[in-house]
Amino acid sequence: MVFKSYYRIDIRDITIDNKVTNKAILEYMENSACRHSDSVGYGILGIPNTKRVWLLLDWKFKMIERLSYGEEINIKTWSKGMEKCYAYRDFEVYNSNGKIVAIASTKWVLMDVENLRIVKADETIRNSYNEEKERKVFEKEDLDKIKEPEHYEKEIISRIRKTDIDVNGHVHNLNYLDIAYEILPYTLQECQQFENVRITYKKEIKPNSEIRVKYVKEDNKQIVVIKDIDDVHIHSIIELW
């Protein structure tokens, strides 16, 4: 089943040139996914009954045409299927004329909120989403693992803000983009111009944490790696190009 949501680009979602940011479109997509899950009983509102929550592992995003303040958008999203412990979801963003302006693929896991363990989606959950297995937005379907670079050009230490924390008690997945922008050697407006975004999440960042943020440019990609303060565990790897 394809689930549809409608939004209007607000002032908080644009840069000084009145163009929508990547983070804003990603937020609209994420909200659409949440609404879809709410509609079938496995979203945030259903947690008291299901004891299950969806956690995002990967983003693969492409901006095709950057829209402006005040424009209306229609987002379509659907479940592509669930394999083992993983669930896959795609997105299409349309402008008011019905033209696709952005696409994305994502990978998720389902977690038991009582024992904090990843669980496999059962047949009831799978059937509730009416999977669209043949519908896809990227020709190359897979979300390959992103490797950590062997060297870096720059590194900074940062402390997590209270406002970074979400309903699950850790840094909200799209706030990782804000963290990445701080180390990029560009203005904020320039950071928002990258048409492709890839984010993989490996380990949650908890409140009051200090993190080590590293940057390098390789193969025309801006690569940011967020690690713990001890430089041992990777929290996330972000690629922008």
Side-chain angles (χ1 to χ4, degrees):
M1 179 184 75
V2 177
F3 186 85
K4 299 179 182 179
S5 296
Y6 298 87
Y7 305 91
R8 182 187 296 272
I9 297 172
D10 294 325
I11 192 167
R12 66 177 181 175
D13 300 328
I14 59 174
T15 59
I16 58 176
D17 61 357
N18 293 339
K19 295 295 184 180
V20 70
T21 67
N22 291 335
K23 184 180 179 183
I25 294 295
L26 288 166
E27 285 180 335
Y28 290 139
M29 289 177 169
E30 183 179 62
N31 286 334
S32 297
C34 291
R35 289 181 179 182
H36 187 189
S37 288
D38 285 337
S39 73
V40 299
Y42 291 96
I44 297 296
L45 298 176
I47 291 176
N49 295 321
T50 65
K51 311 299 181 186
R52 300 287 188 269
V53 63
W54 290 106
L55 297 180
L56 184 59
L57 296 182
D58 280 282
W59 276 108
K60 181 179 180 181
F61 168 81
K62 181 175 181 59
M63 184 76 80
I64 300 170
E65 180 180 320
R66 199 170 295 276
L67 301 182
S68 301
Y69 169 72
E71 292 194 65
E72 295 182 348
I73 59 173
N74 168 24
I75 295 183
K76 297 180 181 180
T77 185
W78 59 93
S79 169
K80 285 197 303 183
M82 303 178 190
E83 299 176 1
K84 298 180 180 179
C85 294
Y86 301 116
Y88 299 87
R89 172 180 291 277
D90 273 6
F91 301 84
E92 293 173 337
V93 182
Y94 294 80
N95 65 14
S96 58
N97 294 321
K99 179 182 177 182
I100 294 179
V101 295
I103 55 175
S105 282
T106 52
K107 180 166 69 173
W108 308 69
V109 290
L110 191 62
M111 187 181 75
D112 186 310
V113 298
E114 294 184 321
N115 59 31
L116 302 181
R117 292 185 177 181
I118 294 173
V119 295
K120 185 178 180 179
D122 59 28
E123 199 67 24
T124 300
I125 297 176
R126 294 167 62 95
N127 290 339
S128 67
Y129 283 93
N130 293 321
E131 300 169 351
E132 299 275 343
K133 294 184 176 181
E134 303 303 318
R135 184 168 182 158
K136 60 183 181 179
V137 297
F138 288 104
E139 290 185 7
K140 187 177 180 181
E141 280 282 275
D142 55 326
L143 290 166
D144 296 331
K145 291 183 178 181
I146 306 177
K147 295 182 179 180
E148 180 183 6
E150 295 182 357
H151 68 280
Y152 297 96
E153 299 173 15
K154 185 180 179 182
E155 176 182 314
I156 60 174
I157 303 299
S158 181
R159 177 170 287 278
I160 296 305
R161 305 169 302 173
K162 295 177 182 178
T163 52
D164 289 323
I165 306 304
D166 66 9
V167 67
N168 294 315
H170 55 233
V171 173
H172 184 63
N173 71 83
L174 292 179
N175 288 348
Y176 284 70
L177 264 183
D178 295 331
I179 295 171
Y181 290 155
E182 289 300 319
I183 198 173
L184 294 185
Y186 306 97
T187 66
L188 180 58
Q189 184 178 357
E190 289 171 331
C191 290
Q192 300 288 2
Q193 300 308 310
F194 296 112
E195 296 177 346
N196 296 277
V197 178
R198 182 71 204 282
I199 310 174
T200 185
Y201 306 96
K202 294 180 174 291
K203 191 177 189 297
E204 66 179 0
I205 306 177
K206 296 182 179 180
N208 303 315
S209 296
E210 276 194 321
I211 53 174
R212 197 174 294 271
V213 186
K214 303 186 175 191
Y215 163 80
V216 67
K217 182 177 180 180
E218 289 185 350
D219 300 325
N220 291 320
K221 290 183 178 180
Q222 315 296 321
I223 304 174
V224 177
V225 178
I226 303 172
K227 305 186 75 172
D228 62 13
I229 194 63
D230 297 323
D231 204 12
V232 176
H233 301 291
I234 295 175
H235 292 293
S236 178
I237 303 177
I238 301 162
E239 294 182 343
L240 304 162
W241 69 98

